[in-house]
Amino acid sequence: MTAVIMPAVTPPLLLPQLAFLSPDRLLILLVIPLLVLGYIFASRRKNRRGMRFTNTSMLDVVVPKQSQWRRHLAVALSLLSLITLTAAFARPKTQVNVPRERATIVVVIDASLSMQATDVQPNRLAAAKQAAIAFVKSLPEKYNVAVVSMAGNPSILVPPTLAHNTVENAINTIQLQESTAIGEGIITALRALEQAPKDPSNPTAVAPGAIVLLSDGSNTAGRAPLQAAAEAKNAKVPIYTIAYGTENGYVDLDGKREPVPVDHQQMQQIADASGGQYFRAATPEQLKTVYANIGSQVGYEKADREVTARFAGYGLAFAVLAALGAISLGAKWP
């Protein structure tokens, strides 16, 4: 499951995934073609009757000339009013994003020495911290958030908590360490999820959980990442992996320059094995966009919402305009 970088989602002008609670009522719309045909027939018959008059000046006196476009517009608005009011009568509904009531998110940040690469300014780790803090701020207040620092010996810096300020402070304290144990980092994140507080109103309920793992993707210690990802899948915990950095990254260790390219393949395999989703980011701006996309997925869920009132409002607006058009046809303008 590969995700591409996309700009922040904006609501479309049209209602997405529109459905109706009483779709049988839409059969009323079958009247619309009959009304259109009737209007066309009446217009043509009126034109044929008008052609019988040879004295057009007398015709203008007897039957004042009407504006054709105003008459057509009034009819069109009337039909639009009938269509939208019928749609409202059928009780339309659409799906909207609503915040989840409860969930636990574990943010895992790679703190290995490769994260000091400066291919992302000021360096990978510093940029990752800033984006992760912004991500935590965007999550619903009812979400429990935990932080895991991942290096050779991953550790839980903050267990699941509603105090998001504490989480942000913990992210700022992450320091570079040797080695990268991605598999151990995933297992540590699963242990953090087990510490999530229970819902007092429903202690037996298991709140949904997810792991957001940011790394340059090169495992050097501990158990195999795919083995840990399989355990996450068995626990029904998806892993959202973010491969962060570029192919040109390098670090200077003991006076020797070591290349640290991002291992995109491993990060994608981890996401696929866990039932999660894979992202890539090569700049701080892309990383913010990735976190925004992840936040929209883990922080919200789809829910049906009836939009009858909206369609009724459209129908009323069209009806008012049609009435104004009919009045203009009957009025004598100077």
Side-chain angles (χ1 to χ4, degrees):
M1 299 172 64
T2 302
V4 297
I5 301 296
M6 297 182 65
V9 178
T10 54
L13 295 178
L14 298 178
L15 291 171
Q17 300 180 1
L18 186 65
F20 296 90
L21 296 174
S22 302
D24 54 308
R25 297 177 181 179
L26 293 175
L27 293 175
I28 298 175
L29 294 177
L30 295 176
V31 177
I32 300 296
L34 299 178
L35 293 176
V36 172
L37 292 174
Y39 174 69
I40 294 174
F41 175 77
S43 297
R44 290 182 175 179
R45 184 176 181 184
K46 179 179 180 181
N47 291 336
R48 286 198 299 267
R49 291 182 61 186
M51 292 176 62
R52 298 177 185 177
F53 290 88
T54 57
N55 190 340
T56 57
S57 60
M58 181 64 69
L59 178 62
D60 291 338
V61 174
V62 177
V63 182
K65 187 176 181 180
Q66 293 182 336
S67 173
Q68 293 291 327
W69 71 266
R70 286 211 304 266
R71 178 159 55 86
H72 295 329
L73 180 60
V75 172
L77 289 170
S78 298
L79 293 176
L80 285 174
S81 175
L82 178 59
I83 292 172
T84 51
L85 289 176
T86 300
F89 185 53
R91 300 176 62 196
K93 67 173 183 177
T94 187
Q95 287 192 331
V96 296
N97 289 326
V98 297
R100 296 182 190 271
E101 284 298 316
R102 291 181 66 245
T104 301
I105 305 299
V106 181
V107 179
V108 182
I109 298 179
D110 189 344
S112 62
L113 295 181
S114 61
M115 291 293 287
Q116 66 181 315
T118 57
D119 54 337
V120 179
Q121 294 296 323
N123 59 55
R124 291 180 181 179
L125 181 58
K129 287 181 181 180
Q130 295 176 4
I133 289 174
F135 169 66
V136 172
K137 289 181 177 179
S138 70
L139 293 173
E141 294 181 358
K142 294 183 179 180
Y143 267 44
N144 288 290
V145 185
V147 179
V148 170
S149 175
M150 185 183 71
N153 185 24
S155 60
I156 302 173
L157 299 184
V158 177
T161 178
L162 295 176
H164 293 182
N165 289 337
T166 302
V167 174
E168 296 165 17
N169 293 334
I171 292 174
N172 279 322
T173 66
I174 296 177
Q175 299 295 324
L176 293 169
Q177 302 176 40
E178 293 184 356
S179 301
T180 308
I182 296 178
E184 299 297 335
I186 294 171
I187 297 301
T188 302
L190 291 174
R191 289 203 305 267
L193 282 169
E194 294 173 356
Q195 301 177 30
K198 301 296 183 182
D199 184 0
S201 60
N202 191 2
T204 60
V206 178
I211 297 172
V212 179
L213 169 64
L214 182 145
S215 173
D216 50 24
S218 296
N219 187 72
T220 61
R223 75 185 73 193
L226 292 183
Q227 176 187 348
E231 293 188 31
K233 184 174 184 178
N234 291 335
K236 298 182 179 180
V237 177
I239 303 175
Y240 295 83
T241 60
I242 306 173
Y244 191 42
T246 69
E247 304 305 315
N248 302 320
Y250 65 88
V251 294
D252 293 323
L253 299 175
D254 299 326
K256 184 180 180 181
R257 178 160 293 184
E258 297 286 349
V260 286
V262 179
D263 190 343
H264 293 283
Q265 181 178 3
Q266 179 166 255
M267 297 298 282
Q268 181 166 11
Q269 289 174 345
I270 292 171
D272 292 343
S274 68
Q277 203 165 354
Y278 159 74
F279 297 85
R280 64 167 64 196
T283 66
E285 291 72 22
Q286 289 180 348
L287 182 57
K288 291 178 182 178
T289 302
V290 166
Y291 269 126
N293 289 339
I294 294 175
S296 67
Q297 294 182 45
V298 303
Y300 297 85
E301 59 185 345
K302 294 292 185 180
D304 288 337
R305 177 170 296 175
E306 190 171 344
V307 289
T308 298
R310 183 181 303 182
F311 277 80
Y314 294 154
L316 178 61
F318 286 132
V320 170
L321 293 174
L324 292 175
I327 292 173
S328 69
L329 289 173
K332 293 184 179 181
W333 304 100

